[in-house]
Amino acid sequence: MNINATILVQAFNFFIVYWMLRLLLFKPIIAIIDHEKNQENALHNIINQQKKSLEIQEKERQRQWHICQEYFTTHQPPILQQKSSLDEIDQGIEMVKTVSADSILDTISQAKSALEEKIKHVY
C-alpha cells in the first residue's frame, strides 16, 4: 500500500475544516439549542406553578361554597318556614274540595239560620 502526500494533505485539510466547523458553526448552534431547551423548561415550570395555583384557588372556592351552604342551611329565612305552613294550607284546601255538595248546603243553611237569629235579637 502506497501512501502519498496528497492523502496526508487531504486528511490534514479535513481535520482543519472539522475543527473550524465545530468552533464556528456547531458551538453556536448547540448554545442556541441549549438556550431554547432552558426556555422551554422555564415555561413548563411556570405552567405547572399556574396549574397548582389554580387547583389551590379551586379548592378554596369549593371550601367557601361549602361554608356558605352550611350557613344558609342553619340560618334559613322564615319565608321557607312559612312555605311549609302554606303547603299545609294547600293540603287543607284539597280536603275542602273533597267535601260533598250536600254537606256544603247543610252548612250554609245552618249558618243562615244562626245569622237570622242573631239579627232578630239586634232589632
Side-chain angles (χ1 to χ4, degrees), residues 49-113:
Q49 288 175 353
Q50 291 294 326
K51 284 181 182 178
K52 288 178 184 177
S53 174
L54 286 174
E55 288 174 2
I56 291 170
Q57 288 175 356
E58 180 64 22
K59 286 180 183 178
E60 179 63 22
R61 189 187 65 79
Q62 290 291 335
R63 188 181 70 78
Q64 290 292 333
W65 178 250
H66 184 68
I67 289 171
C68 288
Q69 284 179 331
E70 287 180 359
Y71 175 80
F72 284 114
T73 54
T74 57
H75 298 90
Q76 286 184 349
I79 294 172
L80 295 176
Q81 295 170 354
Q82 290 175 357
K83 184 177 181 185
S84 64
S85 65
L86 290 176
D87 292 337
E88 292 172 2
I89 292 171
D90 289 339
Q91 290 173 354
I93 290 173
E94 288 176 11
M95 289 175 54
V96 170
K97 289 179 183 176
T98 59
V99 176
S100 67
D102 292 334
S103 64
I104 292 173
L105 290 175
D106 291 339
T107 307
I108 290 173
S109 64
Q110 289 173 0
K112 182 179 178 184
S113 63

Side-chain angles (χ1 to χ4, degrees), residues 21-22 24-36:
L21 287 175
R22 186 173 174 182
L24 300 175
L25 185 64
F26 296 150
K27 208 174 214 182
I29 290 175
I30 291 173
I32 290 171
I33 291 172
D34 287 341
H35 181 69
E36 287 179 359

Side-chain angles (χ1 to χ4, degrees), residues 4-11:
N4 58 12
T6 57
I7 292 178
L8 292 176
V9 172
Q10 285 179 354

